[in-house]
Amino acid sequence: DAGITQSPRYKITETGRQVTLMCHQTWSHSYMFWYRQDLGHGLRLIYYSAAADITDKGEVPDGYVVSRSKTENFPLTLESATRSQTSVYFCASREKGMNTEAFFGQGTRLTVV
Amino acid sequence: AQKITQTQPGMFVQEKEAVTLDCTYDTSDQSYGLFWYKQPSSGEMIFLIYQGSYDEQNATEGRYSLNFQKARKSANLVISASQLGDSAMYFCAMSGYNAGNMLTFGGGTRLMVKP
């Protein structure tokens, strides 16, 4: 099926553990994004990627690592999870151009205990 | 840098009435795009409407219209004939030419439609 999928949908992890959130899109969109959604903050950009092997920091990148070895995949890794990283994470993709809409995954609810 | 401000954390509207959700933005770009997304309680992000900075007419999509006032840097969403299914979070977002293809979001407005 065409679209953008995130896995897992729900994750509980312990403080200090490494966790990776996966994102896969089937459209071959150039741009991919990771956002976190917290109450009162809307969606804040963590990292984005303009193409394979090109990534850049967003508004809140600290504590996160991304990679994009293939156009369709954009995993987000929390190297050492902290409770402040408890959030809902959204992956999105869009084609190049200001007027193109972004398509979002279903979100991953991550709880760090 | 680009910034989106949504000043209404929550709003009520009576079913079948129209409602306006406010959005102001700040950017140094001359060329930019403005978007509205809906997020129902199920959590998915649904694209509603787009307005380009050089578009002369306000965008419309069914019951959604965008009241674009460039000089005031506002891009308010108008929903006509509200339905119970319109109850959701609504996010305004923008993408500027010099900001690459980043989409910057506002804090959102929670709309509740009363029967």
Side-chain angles (χ1 to χ4, degrees), chain B residues 1-107:
Chain B
Q2 51 192 31
K3 185 178 179 181
I4 294 280
T5 302
Q6 295 179 253
T7 57
Q8 306 153 312
M11 289 188 68
F12 284 96
V13 64
Q14 199 67 41
E15 192 179 9
K16 299 181 184 177
E17 291 186 349
V19 63
T20 298
L21 307 184
D22 294 342
C23 172
T24 58
Y25 60 91
D26 190 23
T27 181
S28 56
D29 275 320
Q30 296 300 311
S31 182
Y32 51 87
L34 296 153
F35 302 78
W36 277 91
Y37 282 83
K38 173 184 179 182
Q39 186 181 44
S41 58
S42 51
E44 72 266 33
M45 296 289 288
I46 302 168
F47 166 74
L48 295 178
I49 195 167
Y50 165 82
Q51 177 84 41
S53 59
Y54 291 115
D55 293 341
E56 294 188 352
Q57 292 197 333
N58 287 340
T60 60
E61 288 287 347
R63 294 187 299 111
Y64 304 110
S65 60
L66 202 153
N67 184 359
F68 181 47
Q69 298 188 47
K70 195 170 182 177
R72 294 186 176 184
K73 293 190 174 180
S74 74
N76 298 338
L77 177 71
V78 181
I79 305 174
S80 63
S82 296
Q83 302 172 356
L84 295 178
D86 294 335
S87 294
M89 281 291 290
Y90 288 82
F91 292 99
C92 181
M94 76 174 298
S95 176
Y97 179 79
N98 288 323
N101 278 261
M102 285 195 295
L103 206 56
T104 299
F105 284 82

Side-chain angles (χ1 to χ4, degrees), chain A residues 6-57:
Chain A
Q6 294 181 231
S7 60
R9 292 292 312 277
Y10 303 92
K11 177 75 177 177
I12 299 174
T13 192
E14 294 179 340
T15 302
R17 289 194 179 266
Q18 182 181 84
V19 60
T20 296
L21 310 184
M22 304 301 292
C23 179
H24 175 78
Q25 54 112 348
T26 61
W27 295 296
S28 298
H29 284 164
S30 299
Y31 283 81
M32 295 188 75
F33 308 86
W34 275 106
Y35 291 90
R36 60 177 290 172
Q37 183 177 18
D38 305 290
L39 199 62
H41 290 281
L43 280 80
R44 292 183 291 176
L45 183 65
I46 305 171
Y47 269 95
Y48 67 103
S49 168
D53 298 322
I54 301 175
T55 62
D56 210 343
K57 296 178 180 179

Side-chain angles (χ1 to χ4, degrees), chain A residues 45-100:
Chain A
L45 183 65
I46 305 171
Y47 269 95
Y48 67 103
S49 168
D53 298 322
I54 301 175
T55 62
D56 210 343
K57 296 178 180 179
E59 182 186 353
V60 288
D62 292 345
Y64 303 95
V65 174
V66 293
S67 62
R68 195 167 176 204
S69 57
K70 293 183 178 181
T71 300
E72 60 267 28
N73 296 324
F74 191 39
L76 176 73
T77 297
L78 288 67
E79 294 187 299
S80 179
T82 65
R83 288 188 181 145
S84 64
Q85 292 177 310
T86 293
S87 187
V88 178
Y89 291 85
F90 283 97
C91 179
S93 72
R94 70 189 293 214
E95 196 39 83
K96 190 176 182 179
M98 277 190 321
N99 62 343
T100 60

Side-chain angles (χ1 to χ4, degrees), chain B residues 103-115:
Chain B
L103 206 56
T104 299
F105 284 82
T109 295
R110 180 171 296 282
L111 178 66
M112 291 151 282
V113 181
K114 297 187 288 186

